[in-house]
């Protein structure tokens, strides 16, 4: 395996987030790390050039070694979505509220506002992670990083998890080549698979985010708990609609580029592929739902972690926002990740 070497240190300086659900990256102009104004200002559509040691980031010239936003998209072109013209790291505000987990009134949950990435993590983004020498025991997340700030009981990254990471980038690149692996597919727009829960969490931390909680993920998939009702599927309009076929989700055939069913298969807040393509690792352990739940995460230690959203191997009628129970060091071609952010 040939590895691209990335020499810049990038630790997820968050870009501004879109709150209007259009999938763009929006946000404020970035500044120099020293608090300066970053030099000349130019629009993304202009032909203005930055000095050799600066780069254009959201309309402003910033130091070349600084991050424009999530590390995995820093400098990458907009090539995601159905027309391959969207920011692969686009993240969208999910407005908080109260809903019933599994549409069961016995399991109500309340979540605060949070951001959830529009797309599943792509091969192209994960390549940046491996190339930067991340995801290793020597570059493991700092203990306590990746916390959900709305969950006071969230301890963040546990130092004991570092032992589950690879020792070298070469070993890491080899490890993620399980059956049906996308890593060497040649298509940077496929969802990254064959990653463990530990690697998924480490990636999201490096990328300036974290793993979504089960309450957050299912809230987004259900379209919240507004007066119009919870959705059967993420795209269900009206919420009671049970329409489901391959034009809405990727199932029973093969993996597809992220966002390829968008906008038809999008959830209320425009997240694509919440059902189908790859299942997505979740922060929670698999035990009974915590009740009551206010920005809760199930941290009662168990053997398995949650993965949500079904995957491409399942028939359409079975490929709903299912709750898979997976041993966290498992590697399968049917599981990947989507990051949450504050």
């Amino acid at each position: 395996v040939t590895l691209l070497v990335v020499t810049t240190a990038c630790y997820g300086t968050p870009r501004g987030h879109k709150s209007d659900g259009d999938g763009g990256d929006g946000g404020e102009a970035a500044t120099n790390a020293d608090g300066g104004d970053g030099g000349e200002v130019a629009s993304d559509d202009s032909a203005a050039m930055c000095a050799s040691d600066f780069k254009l980031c959201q309309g402003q010239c910033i130091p070349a070694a600084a991050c424009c936003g999530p590390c995995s998209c820093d400098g990458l072109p907009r090539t995601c979505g159905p027309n391959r013209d969207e920011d692969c790291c686009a993240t969208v505000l999910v407005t908080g509220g109260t809903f019933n987990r599994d549409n069961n009134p016995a399991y109500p949950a309340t979540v605060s506002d949070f951001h959830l990435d529009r797309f599943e993590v792509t091969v192209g983004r994960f390549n940046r992670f491996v190339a930067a020498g991340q995801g290793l025991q020597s570059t493991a997340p700092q203990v306590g990083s990746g916390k959900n700030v709305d969950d006071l009981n969230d301890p963040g990254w546990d130092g004991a998890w570092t032992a589950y990471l690879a020792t070298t980038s070469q070993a890491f690149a080899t490890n993620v080549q399980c059956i049906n692996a996308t890593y060497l597919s040649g298509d940077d727009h496929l969802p990254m698979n064959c990653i463990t829960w530990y690697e998924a969490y480490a990636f999201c931390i490096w990328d300036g985010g974290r793993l979504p909680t089960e309450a957050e993920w299912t809230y987004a998939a259900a379209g919240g708990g507004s007066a119009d009702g919870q959705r059967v599927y993420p795209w269900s309009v009206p919420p009671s609609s049970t329409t489901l076929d391959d034009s809405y989700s990727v199932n029973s055939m093969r993996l597809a580029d992220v966002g390829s069913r968008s906008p038809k298969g999008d959830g209320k807040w425009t997240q694509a592929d919440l059902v189908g393509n790859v299942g997505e690792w979740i922060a929670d352990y698999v035990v009974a739902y915590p009740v009551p739940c206010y920005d809760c995460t199930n941290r009662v230690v168990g053997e398995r972690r949650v993965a949500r959203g079904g995957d491409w191997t399942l028939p359409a009628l079975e490929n709903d926002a299912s709750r898979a129970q997976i041993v966290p060091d498992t590697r399968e071609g049917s599981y990947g990740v989507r990051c949450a952010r504050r």
Side-chain angles (χ1 to χ4, degrees):
V1 178
T2 301
L3 294 177
L4 169 69
V5 177
V6 175
T7 57
T8 56
C10 180
Y11 287 92
T13 304
R15 71 186 73 186
H17 303 291
K18 290 294 284 186
S19 60
D20 56 4
D22 68 2
D25 63 15
E28 304 170 356
T31 60
N32 280 347
D34 62 3
D37 63 6
E40 60 182 304
V41 177
S43 78
D44 287 327
D45 297 326
S46 76
M49 299 294 290
C50 296
S52 60
D53 55 346
F54 284 77
K55 64 183 177 182
L56 188 66
C57 176
Q58 298 178 32
Q60 192 160 5
C61 292
I62 66 171
C67 284
C68 280
C71 302
S72 63
C73 289
D74 193 41
L76 286 183
R78 296 168 175 261
T79 55
C80 284
N83 301 315
R84 289 197 171 184
D85 59 357
E86 295 185 46
D87 180 4
C88 295
C89 286
T91 191
V92 186
L93 176 67
V94 176
T95 54
T98 299
F99 78 120
N100 294 322
R101 287 166 287 179
D102 294 341
N103 271 316
N104 187 336
Y107 301 114
T110 300
V111 298
S112 299
D113 292 357
F114 68 101
H115 290 84
L116 186 63
D117 286 359
R118 170 157 154 72
F119 301 114
E120 295 167 331
V121 173
T122 62
V123 173
R125 291 173 63 188
F126 206 85
N127 276 335
R128 290 296 187 90
F129 182 55
V130 178
Q134 298 297 310
L136 308 178
Q137 292 182 13
S138 60
T139 57
Q142 291 186 349
V143 174
S145 60
K147 292 181 180 181
N148 175 8
V149 297
D150 291 313
D151 180 359
L152 299 179
N153 295 316
D154 184 357
W157 181 265
D158 187 326
W161 299 336
T162 298
Y164 291 94
L165 302 179
T167 55
T168 68
S169 293
Q170 192 72 33
F172 192 7
T174 299
N175 290 345
V176 294
Q177 297 174 47
C178 70
I179 297 174
N180 296 311
T182 55
Y183 187 67
L184 295 180
S185 64
D187 186 347
D188 282 354
H189 306 94
L190 287 173
M192 183 66 191
N193 61 6
C194 297
I195 56 176
T196 68
W197 182 90
Y198 307 102
E199 292 161 355
Y201 193 9
F203 172 89
C204 287
I205 292 173
W206 171 78
D207 208 40
R210 57 179 173 81
L211 288 179
T213 69
E214 188 167 23
E216 289 174 332
W217 194 100
T218 53
Y219 179 84
S226 60
D228 59 350
Q230 295 181 205
R231 299 182 175 191
V232 175
Y233 297 115
W235 56 81
S236 293
V237 177
S240 59
S241 173
T242 56
T243 302
L244 173 64
D245 57 45
D246 288 348
S247 67
Y248 290 91
S249 63
V250 179
N251 44 64
S252 286
M253 42 182 182
R254 60 181 181 179
L255 284 157
D257 290 352
V258 300
S260 61
R261 302 300 190 265
S262 183
K264 189 173 181 180
D266 292 352
K268 178 177 179 178
W269 289 281
T270 76
Q271 282 82 17
D273 300 315
L274 287 170
V275 168
N277 227 6
V278 290
E280 301 171 12
W281 284 113
I282 302 298
D284 298 55
Y285 283 102
V286 178
V287 288
Y289 287 142
V291 178
C293 175
Y294 299 95
D295 291 313
C296 69
T297 312
N298 204 332
R299 304 199 180 279
V300 177
V301 176
E303 180 185 359
R304 298 171 185 269
R305 295 279 185 174
V306 175
R308 280 281 185 174
D311 62 78
W312 60 279
T313 67
L314 299 174
L317 290 178
E318 296 179 17
N319 204 7
D320 59 5
S322 59
R323 191 190 198 210
Q325 305 180 22
I326 312 296
V327 175
D329 60 355
T330 298
R331 297 185 188 278
E332 292 187 8
S334 49
Y335 296 105
V337 67
R338 179 194 314 262
C339 301
R341 305 172 194 278
R342 183 65 181 92

